[in-house]
Amino acid sequence: MLLLLRILGVWFLLLAMVAAVIDATKSLAAGGAWVFTPLGQQWASLNPDSLAAAKTWVETHAGTFMWNPMITEILNAPTWVVFGILGVVLFWLGRKRTPAEVFIN
């Protein structure tokens, strides 16, 4: 299980790096002004049907309060930030833990 978490963490970090390169390329093309692509916009451009399905699923199972303030804030964040944080957390959860040495006198 730990290996699977580390592998997923590395994949999400690779996705974050690809998204950062895409945003950096757009920034250079825009004349140096920092341009970032929100996750929601990128998801809508790739597959708008799944975004709408995710919205209806969250609203029916968790309520509209979960979608509107919380998930929309995540969808408005830059793609590389969201995938980077998710990758670091998954990689950290899958790390090999060192055994603790406990001495009892």
Side-chain angles (χ1 to χ4, degrees), residues 27-99:
S27 297
L28 289 174
W34 181 249
V35 176
F36 69 90
T37 308
L39 179 63
Q41 180 183 350
Q42 202 153 22
W43 189 359
S45 68
L46 290 174
N47 194 352
D49 295 334
S50 68
L51 179 61
K55 180 180 179 181
T56 57
W57 187 88
V58 168
E59 287 179 344
T60 56
H61 289 84
T64 56
F65 65 90
M66 183 74 167
W67 180 264
N68 197 8
M70 297 174 71
I71 296 181
T72 53
E73 287 299 320
I74 294 171
L75 291 176
N76 288 333
T79 305
W80 58 272
V81 171
V82 175
F83 283 139
I85 290 172
L86 189 60
V88 167
V89 168
L90 287 176
F91 193 79
W92 179 75
L93 287 174
R95 75 188 187 286
K96 292 182 180 178
R97 291 159 179 86
T98 57

